[in-house]
Amino acid sequence: MVGGDFVVCGICGLRGYSLKSHVRKIHGFTKAQYEAEHGSAVCRATRERYRDSENYDWISRAKDAGQDLSEWRQKLSAGISAGVMASETAREARRQNLARLNRTEEARRRSSDTAMRTSSRPDVLARRTANIRRWREENGELFHEKCVVKMINRFQSVPEKFLFGLISELFPGRFKRGQQVRRVGKFTTVKSGTRQVDILDLEGKVVVEFDGPRHFRSFGRNDQLELRMQADRELNSVLVEDGFLVIRVSYDQFTYRRGGAFREECVRTIQEAISAVKLGLIQIGEAYK
């Protein structure tokens, strides 16, 4: 309801000269949204008074006159930002408002569309590629640690889990994952004399190792491939000498297709070797050739 010197909120019945602040703070509506559903948010007297004022809707008049409001908008934005950042209460209110806005489907759609348009621009792609290349060249060790090693570890972890699950199904209750084998004086590539193996049946003296790409080729100038290969050879030699069956499976025996699987011939070889209680070293995979 709109009167000469009052207006009544169409949602809760509050009465006042103007409802603009009220509908925004209490009901979460902008003035335009409220007026689209409930009519005017200001009384007739207020509307008439400001309509006759020289300052009424000066922004629209400035646009119609062709004035450039860029500088004014920048100053206004800077002033608002400074005011918000200077107040802990305002910062918290801003955070909550943005969080609420970002949870809406419309905000997510707009953000996604903007990101897709921006990331596909040739100039953005070229600049991003150049920045990554420069960072990689200037931070070789950090790039290897944060990117290459994580990528390789991720590749290894999935097949290792598959391999352990497969062997556990074939030989229930026998094998454990990520176990340590201690041979002081024999394992010389580590100071502790202790090596961790992927899959172990200690009582049956069987070790199964999954060898990812890092066991066969270098990934960067600080990769220390030769040290890893030396450690692998030492593990093979020490355990075989102690009467273990050591089975090594290379990464080329695993495929990520259809959810991930090892080659049937690889699985059959593992099952036959463990069932027959063979001793020595068995290497399964093209990478060992």
Side-chain angles (χ1 to χ4, degrees):
M1 177 187 295
V2 180
D5 59 354
F6 69 91
V7 60
V8 178
C9 177
I11 301 174
C12 65
L14 179 76
R15 179 171 173 153
Y17 292 108
S18 173
L19 301 174
K20 291 188 293 184
S21 177
H22 166 73
V23 297
R24 176 175 56 82
K25 293 181 179 179
I26 304 302
H27 303 303
F29 284 89
T30 64
K31 176 175 175 290
Q33 290 172 334
Y34 174 85
E35 290 187 337
E37 295 187 22
H38 304 285
S40 178
V42 296
C43 66
R44 284 196 295 270
T46 299
R47 185 179 296 275
E48 292 298 327
R49 181 164 59 251
Y50 282 99
R51 178 175 293 132
D52 295 336
S53 170
E54 293 182 359
N55 289 327
Y56 179 76
D57 201 9
W58 68 272
I59 295 179
S60 297
R61 294 204 312 274
K63 288 181 179 179
D64 293 340
Q67 296 181 22
D68 185 4
L69 299 177
S70 300
E71 184 178 354
W72 173 81
R73 293 184 185 279
Q74 290 177 358
K75 290 182 178 179
L76 177 64
S77 177
I80 294 174
S81 296
V84 170
M85 297 309 295
S87 169
E88 183 177 349
T89 302
R91 289 199 305 272
E92 177 61 20
R94 177 176 178 271
R95 186 193 66 78
Q96 293 181 6
N97 289 335
L98 288 175
R100 185 165 53 249
L101 175 64
N102 290 334
R103 285 194 293 268
T104 64
E105 289 299 324
E106 176 64 17
R108 291 173 179 172
R109 184 190 63 78
R110 290 175 60 184
S111 297
S112 177
D113 291 346
T114 301
M116 291 178 63
R117 289 195 303 270
T118 302
S119 61
S120 62
R121 282 168 35 192
D123 59 317
V124 173
L125 291 174
R127 187 165 60 250
R128 181 180 298 161
T129 301
N131 289 337
I132 293 175
R133 184 184 298 113
R134 184 174 59 254
W135 179 81
R136 182 180 61 194
E137 292 173 352
E138 295 174 354
N139 304 274
E141 293 185 9
L142 189 61
F143 174 79
H144 182 267
E145 176 186 347
K146 290 185 173 292
C147 301
V148 177
V149 172
K150 287 187 177 181
M151 176 192 71
I152 295 171
N153 288 341
R154 181 181 181 278
F155 178 86
Q156 285 184 281
S157 64
V158 174
E160 282 179 11
K161 291 178 181 178
F162 267 82
L163 186 57
F164 177 70
L166 177 67
I167 293 175
S168 296
E169 288 182 5
L170 294 173
F171 304 96
R174 285 185 56 179
F175 289 87
K176 294 183 179 180
R177 187 172 177 225
Q179 299 298 296
Q180 292 185 334
V181 178
R182 185 173 177 82
R183 296 292 186 276
V184 178
K186 294 185 177 181
F187 288 147
T188 60
T189 55
V190 288
K191 294 181 180 179
S192 64
T194 301
R195 293 287 302 275
Q196 180 168 312
V197 296
D198 296 337
I199 303 170
L200 171 67
D201 172 11
L202 184 59
E203 184 176 348
K205 285 195 168 185
V206 180
V207 167
V208 182
E209 289 279 282
F210 176 80
D211 293 334
R214 291 185 69 202
H215 290 259
F216 303 98
R217 59 178 184 266
S218 177
F219 289 85
R221 56 191 175 189
N222 301 307
D223 195 46
Q224 299 180 326
L225 172 62
E226 184 55 39
L227 291 178
R228 278 198 303 278
M229 296 180 70
Q230 180 184 346
D232 288 345
R233 290 192 296 267
E234 181 182 73
L235 181 68
N236 297 342
S237 175
V238 170
L239 292 184
V240 168
E241 185 180 338
D242 282 359
F244 274 80
L245 166 63
V246 179
I247 302 175
R248 286 192 172 272
V249 181
S250 64
Y251 65 94
D252 51 49
Q253 298 300 296
F254 182 80
T255 176
Y256 282 89
R257 294 179 181 177
R258 297 187 297 274
F262 280 90
R263 293 181 179 179
E264 291 183 4
E265 184 178 353
C266 170
V267 176
R268 185 166 56 252
T269 302
I270 293 173
Q271 184 176 14
E272 291 175 354
I274 297 176
S275 299
V277 197
K278 291 183 178 180
L279 302 181
L281 173 65
I282 298 177
Q283 294 175 316
I284 307 171
E286 299 297 323
Y288 298 109
K289 297 178 180 179

